[in-house]
Amino acid sequence: MSRRQYALPHRDASEPPDDTGCTVLHVDMDAFYAAATLLSHPELVGTPVIIGGGNRGVVLSATYEARRFGVTSAMPMSRARRLCPQAVVLPPDHARYSAISAAVMETFRSVTPVVEPLSLDEAFLDVRGLEHISGTPAEIAATLRREVLETVGLNISVGVARTKFLAKVASG
């Protein structure tokens, strides 16, 4: 069979996605540690920034501008500095990250009581039965993206699916 035979039917972008039976949301804050740090350094938005420290330490996070040079999290700082010497290196602020995460998780809990945090920047939400209160799962996802951006200033990715695994794949 050709690849064409496996193609999904075309959906008009103006049509809402069919999320029937999809009650699991996976939420991931995009480049969380770098984005959260940039909230305190708006002058650095759009430039390569690495969150980490020391020559013997590792990269906690990097902006997308630094990632274009090959910088990744958990990379030795010495290598990251060689790959992107023009990057600004900032130390992590774990207290700030915890506070921002708590505010975002509270936003999630305002939508559903079933929130399963995986880390500071990632969680699963169960939105089963909320259609009459909050809208479809896709509408809830759009609302969460808007609310987190408005209240905290961070972008999030939300995957909507029937299972945790598929929701995590979809959020990517």
Side-chain angles (χ1 to χ4, degrees):
M1 292 187 155
S2 72
R3 183 179 289 175
R4 187 172 185 79
Q5 289 172 307
Y6 290 111
L8 295 173
H10 177 72
R11 181 179 65 83
D12 184 344
S14 64
E15 296 175 28
D18 181 9
D19 57 3
T20 306
C22 298
T23 61
V24 178
L25 275 56
H26 175 262
V27 183
D28 188 14
M29 292 181 247
D30 303 338
F32 174 64
Y33 300 103
T37 301
L38 290 181
L39 292 174
S40 299
H41 299 278
E43 72 280 4
L44 297 176
V45 172
T47 66
V49 177
I50 299 171
I51 310 305
N55 286 326
R56 298 183 56 92
V58 297
V59 173
L60 175 63
S61 185
T63 61
Y64 290 109
E65 293 80 10
R67 291 177 185 191
R68 285 191 202 110
F69 290 89
V71 177
T72 61
S73 60
M75 172 182 284
M77 283 299 297
S78 57
R79 181 162 186 238
R81 289 175 194 261
R82 281 194 310 272
L83 288 171
C84 191
Q86 69 274 35
V88 174
V89 177
L90 297 173
D93 184 349
H94 297 288
R96 180 168 180 78
Y97 305 146
S98 293
I100 291 170
S101 177
V104 171
M105 295 298 169
E106 192 56 38
T107 299
F108 298 162
R109 287 185 186 91
S110 73
V111 172
T112 178
V114 187
V115 176
E116 181 184 337
L118 300 176
S119 62
L120 287 178
D121 68 329
E122 187 176 14
F124 286 114
L125 286 68
D126 185 339
V127 296
R128 184 173 318 158
L130 296 178
E131 294 87 5
H132 299 295
I133 300 168
S134 303
T136 68
E139 291 168 341
I140 293 170
T143 298
L144 288 173
R145 281 192 297 272
R146 185 177 56 255
E147 285 184 15
V148 170
L149 183 60
E150 289 174 1
T151 60
V152 183
L154 297 178
N155 288 306
I156 61 172
S157 298
V158 184
V160 180
R162 294 174 186 254
T163 67
K164 289 179 178 180
F165 174 76
L166 292 175
K168 185 165 175 76
V169 170
S171 69

